[in-house]
Amino acid sequence: PITYDGNSAGSWGTGKGIIDADYELNAYIISVNASVAYVTFNNLEIRNAGGYAENDPIIAAAANGDYGTTGTYDGTNSIYTPRWGWGIYMGGPNSHVTLTDCYFHNIGIWQSTQGWDGRAVSGVGIYAQTQSNLTITGCEFTTMGATGISLYTTGASSDVLISDCHFHDDIPAWGMDIAPTSASGASFTNLTITECRFIDLWSDWSGTPDNPPTTTAPHQNYIFMRTATNPCTWTNLEVSRCLFYESSDTHTGLGGTGSIFISNGPSLNIYNNLFARPWSYTGVIVVGYDVPVGTTQTVRIYNNPFLRGSGTTINSNGATSGGGTRYLYVENNILINDTG
């Protein structure tokens, strides 16, 4: 096994070991090659991949209403142009990779300066494709445009643990995105997301498609689990003991489409979480769209308190019109309205 340790013992200097890409476009700050196994990354601060520095003239110009080339994707000044970056990129397959106590921030375009367009959203903290025995624990994610953790599979992904992680502030798209990326043979088995905090992910992004024509609301999910039109087998997946929380209840716009959005057939157990004022107009938990033919979807929602959100608490739609079967179990939850 190999360990990359960024000063966890505090034996040289103070703080975490810093790896800074200086806003390089399309940067992979750490890239893990296929078939690499038994590697640990510990106590690293991973920052500034893609995107723009806060003092970049483009950011200042946008704040003053100068958006550069608009209506097209060309031109580096365009509010429509993404600037991608990745903190850790694992193209897979890999096994027994561990990330502990790492801090990911300022990756891609995440700023919600008035006038930016949703098509510029970009930046991923951890990209993990086709993993087995992957552990991500004690990590922090903030200010990244697209996704904190992208967990994808073209084959069999199994035994993945994401625990005690903190997602917060200005992640305008998805805290986690979980999906197959191949047309056949994909599966997720034994995926656990537990004791994680998703706090104040809502950002005042403009130009995204959730609330036309005013387009003030981000298209956002705290956790997005989807088939992406690809068949997939989902076995023993769990979200438990997590906090989904927005400290403000005065946001403008409609908000995202779900704290947990389960799209087109994934099976999931949602146990013992706390949902407090999430800004998700479609539903706090959405079990959405058709279940593909040949697929049996089982979703269990047990023992979760829900404190007033901006929309429906649990929304199930689509169901069996795609030819598959859905079993939805909702038991022992608490719905709380604190408006008086």
Side-chain angles (χ1 to χ4, degrees):
I2 298 173
T3 297
Y4 297 89
D5 189 287
N7 194 32
S8 61
S11 55
W12 48 276
T14 59
K16 301 181 186 296
I18 297 173
I19 308 178
D20 190 320
D22 195 26
Y23 305 98
E24 179 183 349
L25 179 62
N26 295 325
Y28 302 139
I29 294 182
I30 296 175
S31 181
V32 179
N33 290 340
S35 302
V36 169
Y38 294 97
V39 177
T40 296
F41 300 96
N42 183 35
N43 211 57
L44 299 171
E45 181 177 347
I46 297 171
R47 68 190 192 189
N48 300 337
Y52 295 105
E54 285 296 279
N55 61 355
D56 191 292
I58 292 174
I59 298 294
N64 291 321
D66 177 7
Y67 307 132
T69 306
T70 58
T72 175
Y73 284 100
D74 58 5
T76 57
N77 290 344
S78 174
I79 61 171
Y80 295 87
T81 303
R83 287 182 57 86
W84 283 94
W86 292 262
I88 294 181
Y89 187 94
M90 296 180 283
N94 304 107
S95 67
H96 296 89
V97 176
T98 300
L99 297 96
T100 60
D101 298 319
C102 293
Y103 175 33
F104 300 83
H105 65 100
N106 290 74
I107 298 176
I109 292 179
W110 54 270
Q111 292 92 342
S112 57
T113 304
Q114 182 66 32
W116 285 88
D117 187 272
R119 285 168 286 187
V121 168
S122 47
V124 176
I126 298 173
Y127 180 100
Q129 174 78 251
T130 315
Q131 302 291 309
S132 64
N133 294 283
L134 170 66
T135 299
I136 304 171
T137 185
C139 293
E140 181 179 356
F141 303 84
T142 187
T143 55
M144 55 195 66
T147 314
I149 298 174
S150 295
L151 186 62
Y152 301 141
T153 189
T154 58
S157 284
S158 63
D159 301 301
V160 175
L161 172 64
I162 303 171
S163 68
D164 193 26
C165 290
H166 185 193
F167 303 78
H168 66 93
D169 298 291
D170 292 304
I171 305 177
W174 305 318
M176 295 185 195
D177 183 30
I178 302 166
T181 53
S182 64
S184 63
S187 65
F188 286 102
T189 304
N190 299 334
L191 165 62
T192 300
I193 302 167
T194 188
E195 297 182 353
C196 292
R197 291 160 289 158
F198 301 83
I199 298 176
D200 291 333
L201 296 195
W202 189 92
S203 58
D204 201 7
W205 193 269
S206 65
T208 50
D210 275 32
N211 189 20
T214 56
T215 61
T216 58
H219 176 195
Q220 182 185 74
N221 306 121
Y222 298 75
I223 297 175
F224 191 17
M225 189 172 292
R226 58 198 176 98
T227 64
T229 72
N230 295 311
C232 186
T233 301
W234 310 78
T235 305
N236 195 26
L237 279 72
E238 177 180 310
V239 176
S240 65
R241 302 176 68 187
C242 293
L243 171 63
F244 302 84
Y245 173 64
E246 292 291 328
S247 59
S248 173
D249 60 358
T250 59
H251 293 315
T252 58
L254 292 176
T257 58
S259 297
I260 300 177
F261 198 110
I262 309 166
S263 178
N264 288 117
S267 292
L268 180 64
N269 297 322
I270 304 171
Y271 298 157
N272 302 309
N273 303 281
L274 174 59
F275 298 88
R277 289 200 300 259
W279 207 253
S280 302
Y281 76 93
T282 308
V284 178
I285 297 174
V286 180
V287 188
Y289 302 118
D290 298 340
V291 180
V293 64
T295 299
T296 297
Q297 178 185 40
T298 303
V299 177
R300 300 178 180 90
I301 304 171
Y302 293 167
N303 307 327
N304 303 281
F306 295 86
L307 175 65
R308 178 177 49 87
S310 63
T312 303
T313 300
I314 299 172
N315 181 349
S316 176
N317 62 74
T320 59
S321 58
T325 302
R326 173 180 297 163
Y327 295 100
L328 176 61
Y329 302 91
V330 181
E331 298 183 15
N332 218 32
N333 302 284
I334 302 173
L335 279 65
I336 305 164
N337 185 343
D338 67 344
T339 60

